[in-house]
Amino acid sequence: MKSQDDVVGSQTDKPRLMVVAFISFITGAFLMSAFLTVGRRDWPSYLISFPGHPMDQAKHKPISTTTTISVQSPTTPIQLQAILHYATSKITPQQNLQEITLSFNVLRSLSPCNFLVFGLGYDSLMWASLNPGGRTLFLEETPEWVKTVLKDAPYLNAKTVPYRTHLKEADELLTGYRDEPDCLPGRAFLKGNRKCRLALENLPEEVYEREWDVIMIDAPRGYFPEAPGRMAAIFSAAVMARGRKRVGNTHVFLHDVDRKVEKEFANEFLCMKYKVESAGRLWHFEIPPNNSSSTNFC
């Protein structure tokens, strides 16, 4: 989920071509499922299994490639658009095949679900198509970029959000948030929380009205001092997850963990004890509800 300044397409990069093939197959599978019965394939079994099938009840459990499966899964308009887009575009998603697979497995097991994505970019059609029937909302910092993306992908649900932070303030925010009671676990909240600078207090109402099953943090920009940085997105995702009332944990994916700020804020708010897997520059957390009055998130 990067802006146009962050993405560079390549026709000769083998990993990117693998990603294109992966996305094309996933979206194509939804289309073919409306007409075909899937039999034995040479594809990996997790790519031809679908949630809700009696032979796929165990979480992320691959199904046998020797078993004939009848799939009844209507194709959505956004999946059709994703097929067309990735089959004809030279620009590929930022994440690599291994990173995308982590999120794909979770979405496959939970969809339809509530999926909140910090960032809007060339991979947004893919993420929306992997949550058919669910609610996928993209939050982006730049109004002009939202207009550019939605011009070619009108099916996407994307909103512009303001940020109060700058990357250069990361150290100060990390060491000083404990001095503000409205930032502390057990008391922290988001909507209207002006006192806690890490709280995203002015998001679209839709964000506060829903509990999000999956949260992807791949924005805002965090590679130059005046950029917003991902400090507030990470903190706010932690507050959402801890305040969950519905059954189940919240899956949080954080990209670019090779960078200092992402890593430090993940350690502080998402908690390494909740980290369940990783691939490349992506970490996956499963955060349980927790309304503890402790002064520490982890």
Side-chain angles (χ1 to χ4, degrees), residues 236-253:
S236 297
V239 172
M240 292 182 205
R242 292 171 63 90
R244 182 183 177 93
K245 300 296 189 296
R246 296 166 59 194
V247 175
N249 298 334
T250 302
H251 296 264
V252 178
F253 292 92

Side-chain angles (χ1 to χ4, degrees), residues 162-292:
Y163 289 91
R164 296 184 287 167
T165 58
H166 299 286
L167 184 64
K168 63 184 180 182
E169 303 168 323
D171 290 340
E172 172 196 344
L173 291 168
L174 188 61
T175 57
Y177 82 91
R178 295 185 185 88
D179 297 330
E180 174 49 59
D182 284 350
C183 286
L184 298 180
R187 178 166 171 172
F189 62 99
L190 298 182
K191 183 179 179 180
N193 188 350
R194 296 292 302 174
K195 293 183 178 180
C196 179
R197 292 172 61 204
L198 285 171
L200 292 175
E201 92 297 350
N202 193 25
L203 295 174
E205 195 65 28
E206 178 182 354
V207 178
Y208 305 125
E209 291 175 347
R210 295 178 183 272
E211 291 192 344
W212 300 95
D213 305 299
V214 183
I215 302 174
M216 173 72 72
I217 305 172
D218 206 358
R221 293 172 295 173
Y223 55 89
F224 61 95
E226 297 299 328
R230 298 182 186 169
M231 302 83 69
I234 294 171
F235 174 86
S236 297
V239 172
M240 292 182 205
R242 292 171 63 90
R244 182 183 177 93
K245 300 296 189 296
R246 296 166 59 194
V247 175
N249 298 334
T250 302
H251 296 264
V252 178
F253 292 92
L254 175 63
H255 199 221
D256 297 318
V257 295
D258 56 316
R259 302 195 302 208
K260 176 177 179 288
V261 168
E262 279 78 357
K263 187 174 295 183
E264 290 183 346
F265 274 73
N267 282 322
E268 183 72 20
F269 299 112
L270 301 180
C271 311
M272 297 309 292
K273 64 183 177 181
Y274 299 138
K275 178 171 166 281
V276 293
E277 58 183 348
S278 64
R281 297 180 293 127
L282 185 75
W283 283 351
H284 172 204
F285 299 84
E286 278 194 42
I287 304 178
N290 187 340
N291 293 308
S292 169

